[in-house]
Amino acid sequence: METFEQQGHDSVAVANRFIATAHKQGAPIFSLAQLIRMIYIAHGFHLAFQDTNLIKDEVQAWPQGPVIPRVYETFLRIPPVSHPLPAKPDVQDEMDLDPYALGLIELIYQGYGHMNYAQIAELMRQRGTPWDLVYKSKGNRATIEPELTREYYHALIENRRKKAQALQHLEAAL
């Protein structure tokens, strides 16, 4: 049986699926930082909803936000170019992703794919985010533990549910 740390998919396979989804939607991903942040957001929601990792690769707190070193090293281009990020064919097939992961990637792309680097970076670096807590306490390239990410995204979901319930009560009273 897999341990919690062994659960999840290859982060590059998840990245490839995001790239394929973006191409299918007609809005390719140009920014490696945007790609990494969307994978991290999907990972957070997967942890909160499924209580398992979406990716098995480590996430670290770098100065610019959460980074998945495996994805960063695989897709890094020097110098940056003005062409969309290409999928990497030499990794586990993204079709090995389970149906829940595939649907979640689609939803995350729909919700965050329109954001530019500055917008998505601002979300990741807000006070109280896992990145903020780890970067400030442990420094550059410290590991952002999955449990911290799960707790953060679980609280985010619960806060939204409470707000939605409050709006329903307000609308019913009107």
Side-chain angles (χ1 to χ4, degrees):
M1 178 155 174
E2 289 181 317
T3 65
F4 183 79
E5 292 77 21
Q6 295 169 324
Q7 294 172 351
H9 301 286
D10 180 329
S11 59
V12 175
V14 173
N16 281 343
R17 186 56 181 210
F18 267 106
I19 290 168
T21 298
H23 281 286
K24 186 172 72 173
Q25 299 287 327
I29 299 170
F30 288 84
S31 165
L32 177 55
Q34 179 192 27
L35 175 64
I36 290 171
R37 298 323 183 273
M38 285 191 293
I39 295 168
Y40 178 71
I41 291 166
H43 179 56
F45 280 113
H46 197 278
L47 282 162
F49 284 121
Q50 298 293 306
D51 205 29
T52 59
N53 290 313
L54 173 63
I55 59 170
K56 58 180 148 193
D57 298 303
E58 180 181 46
V59 179
Q60 296 177 348
W62 288 17
Q64 64 274 27
V67 173
I68 304 161
R70 177 156 157 62
V71 174
Y72 179 82
E73 292 162 7
T74 301
F75 288 90
L76 181 65
R77 338 184 249 205
I78 301 175
V81 293
S82 59
H83 299 291
L85 289 169
K88 299 295 180 179
D90 57 339
V91 297
Q92 169 191 348
D93 186 356
E94 73 219 42
M95 290 301 132
D96 290 342
L97 301 175
D98 62 84
Y100 186 86
L102 293 170
L104 182 61
I105 290 167
E106 294 273 337
L107 286 173
I108 296 302
Y109 182 78
Q110 288 172 12
Y112 296 89
H114 67 282
M115 294 179 148
N116 64 33
Y117 169 77
Q119 293 168 320
I120 205 163
E122 184 178 327
L123 281 177
M124 298 290 100
R125 296 189 303 226
Q126 290 179 357
R127 179 179 286 183
T129 62
W131 171 85
D132 176 62
L133 298 172
V134 171
Y135 189 75
K136 287 182 178 173
S137 67
K138 297 180 181 177
N140 188 29
R141 298 192 184 220
T143 299
I144 301 173
E145 295 296 335
E147 182 59 26
L148 182 62
T149 301
R150 188 197 68 75
E151 289 172 7
Y152 176 81
Y153 279 89
H154 189 268
L156 188 67
I157 292 164
E158 285 303 311
N159 288 339
R160 292 207 175 182
R161 284 183 182 150
K162 288 176 184 175
K163 287 178 185 176
Q165 288 173 346
L167 283 174
Q168 287 175 347
H169 288 287
L170 180 60
E171 288 173 353
L174 295 176

